[in-house]
Structures are given as C-alpha cells and as structure tokens.
Amino acid sequence: MAHGNRPGRPHGDRERSLPQSARERTLVLPGEELPTHGLRPGTGTYRTSGKIYASVLGFVQERPPFVQVTPLSGRYIPKPDDTIIGYVADVQGTFWLLDIGAPRWAPLHMTGTPWKIEIGETDQYLKVGDAVLVRVENLDATGRIGVTMIGEGLGRLDGGAIVTISPAKIPRVIGRKGSMIESIIRITGARAAVGQNGRIWIDGTPEAIVQVRQALEMIEDTGHRSGLTERVQELLRSSPRPAREEPIRRPPNPAAPNLDREDPVPPGDANEADIPNDAE
C-alpha cells in the first residue's frame, strides 16, 4: 500500500492553519499520512519510519496526546470496560452466549450476574432473544471476550426497542460529556441505554421512540457534519413533545445509563422495576 499525501489535501502549514473543528472532519484513506502536530498514534492509525498513517477510511480527530481516525463504518471491536448491549443467542448449563455484534460471541457466565443460580437453571433467568446491558471485562490472547452483568446500571433490558447504528457513530450519539444523549432524553422524555457496540435501547411513549429513532438516523447519516447538536435539537422540537405522567428518571452517566435499581431482577419476581433509563 502506497504511503504519502493525497493531491489537493491540506497538510503541513496549511493544515495547521485550519481550526480544530475543520481538522477533525478531514476524511482520510487507509495508508494516508496524517499531520501529527507532535501527537502519538491512536486508534485507526499506525506508525512506520517515524510517520503516522491512517489504517482505516474515516475522519481524523486530534485527542491529545493521540491523533486517531474514526472509521466511517465497520464491525464492533471490543475493548475492556466498554458498556455494550448483547442478545442471548444460546443458553448452556452455566453460561449464556451473547451476540454483541463482534466477530465472536461473548460468554456470560452465571457467576457474572447478581443472581444466585444453580447449574442448569440458566434458562430460568435469561432466554434466547433476551437483551442485556453488560460490560466487557477482559479480552484474552485467543480473542475470547469476557463480559459481566455485575455493576451499576447493568442488567436485562425489558420492553422498549433497540436501534442499531454504526459503532463508529456512538461517540456522536453520546456527545461531549454526554451532551447529545442527554439532550435527546430531555427533549423527548424517552429513556435510553447506549452500547459502544452500536446498539441503543430506547423506551417511552411510541411518539418518543419514533423521535429518538429519527434523531439516531440523523446522527448516522450526517454525524460527520458540523452543527449536529443544533440540527438534532431542531428535529426533535419540530414535532410535538410526547406527553408523560411521571417525571423523567435520568441516570448520572448517559454513556452507561442506570437501570434505576441496584440489581437486575430475575424473571418472574414480583414488582419488577422498569428500566429507565456531539461531540460538538
């Protein structure tokens, strides 16, 4: 693969004269040399012969001390401590296999839940097709993905709807310091849980769910353009705000929304609680 600058692209002194927002929206091809400004190679990049190049098609972003490339699309690649949404794809005597949208399924062992489960009882707690909010706990050298349901805000996702977008657009869904998802929740009255694997759980009135879907579609399609926060807010406010009888319950961390209870409740327990819940 040839390395070097593409003709007609701003680099060097011309690139340094651009504002940060413009530099962050520079589209690069795999193998294209990146302006480093003294930064180190981050995700979506590699270094060779003292220079840094893009390893994927995407947008250059400077996140000191790193320069990185956010891909336009691609499968989810797990990282430790990611909060993700998985579907139960298979049930075994001591664990469940989760489809997390990655190249490999992730086993969730019964010891990785807050439930006291006997061997062979796993199907009484989670069934094929159930959705869960879990955290990536570890990755081993063979590529095995370890996940856990133990932790604040983790558990089974009951009701609502799950929308899937490119994992590369999740930082835009969350926004800087949670600003985007917080704004969506505030305007629509919906509840949400955002997975780093590109899956977003939303719940609320049918009108609220439709509004959130529309906002996510806008982020998916135009998240690389400037003024995203303003455009999403204008979209949401252009339709009537859905009525609700109770105040919105919002978690302190929109990137890993709270389930509004300390532990997930196994199926069949009485009084099961509802799950409440741009980077400009």
Side-chain angles (χ1 to χ4, degrees):
M1 182 178 294
H3 295 157
N5 297 341
R6 290 163 53 197
R9 299 300 299 273
H11 287 290
D13 293 338
R14 183 181 174 189
E15 172 71 17
R16 283 191 290 272
S17 67
L18 292 173
Q20 175 69 14
S21 59
R23 290 202 304 269
E24 288 186 341
R25 292 179 177 85
T26 300
L27 182 66
V28 293
L29 295 174
E32 182 171 349
E33 182 182 346
L34 305 179
T36 63
H37 308 124
L39 300 176
R40 304 192 327 236
T43 56
T45 72
Y46 63 94
R47 176 156 46 194
T48 182
S49 301
K51 296 182 179 180
I52 299 177
Y53 301 91
S55 62
V56 296
L57 171 67
F59 291 94
V60 179
Q61 292 184 313
E62 294 185 2
R63 295 290 184 264
F66 302 102
V67 59
Q68 64 186 40
V69 177
T70 301
L72 285 179
S73 62
R75 297 201 71 178
Y76 167 64
I77 303 301
K79 298 186 297 296
D81 293 325
D82 277 359
T83 299
I84 58 177
I85 293 175
Y87 296 112
V88 177
D90 191 21
V91 181
Q92 298 294 322
T94 60
F95 64 91
W96 303 267
L97 281 177
L98 303 183
D99 172 5
I100 61 171
R104 298 184 63 171
W105 287 355
L108 170 64
H109 198 269
M110 64 184 191
T111 58
T113 75
W115 306 321
K116 295 180 180 179
I117 306 174
E118 297 293 334
I119 294 176
E121 294 183 349
T122 47
D123 61 350
Q124 298 180 30
Y125 289 78
L126 292 173
K127 300 183 182 301
V128 172
D130 284 350
V132 291
L133 186 67
V134 297
R135 178 175 58 84
V136 177
E137 194 169 33
N138 57 70
L139 303 167
D140 65 22
T142 67
R144 183 179 181 275
I145 307 163
V147 297
T148 180
M149 194 192 283
I150 298 176
E152 183 180 0
L154 305 179
R156 191 181 62 248
L157 298 171
D158 298 318
I162 293 178
V163 177
T164 301
I165 67 173
S166 168
K169 297 298 176 68
I170 289 299
R172 299 292 274 173
V173 172
I174 296 172
R176 188 168 296 169
K177 297 182 179 180
S179 59
M180 178 66 81
I181 189 63
E182 194 172 272
S183 178
I184 292 173
I185 290 172
R186 183 181 66 253
I187 295 174
T188 64
R191 296 168 286 173
V194 181
Q196 296 292 336
N197 57 338
R199 294 172 181 166
I200 302 101
W201 175 85
I202 50 179
D203 194 17
T205 65
E207 295 80 7
I209 291 176
V210 169
Q211 283 185 300
V212 176
R213 281 183 182 274
Q214 292 173 339
L216 294 175
E217 289 173 0
M218 174 176 283
I219 295 171
E220 172 95 87
D221 295 339
T222 67
H224 58 284
R225 291 167 46 193
S226 61
L228 180 63
T229 297
E230 291 77 11
R231 286 186 284 111
V232 168
Q233 290 178 349
E234 182 179 357
L235 170 70
L236 295 176
R237 288 170 175 155
S238 64
S239 57
R241 184 170 181 173
R244 61 181 185 274
E245 297 179 357
E246 301 180 54
I248 306 171
R249 294 177 291 175
R250 291 166 50 201
N253 180 7
N258 210 321
L259 300 190
D260 229 25
R261 62 186 186 226
E262 293 184 358
D263 296 318
V265 179
D269 278 16
N271 301 322
E272 186 169 73
D274 288 336
I275 302 175
N277 145 348
D278 126 355
E280 291 297 334

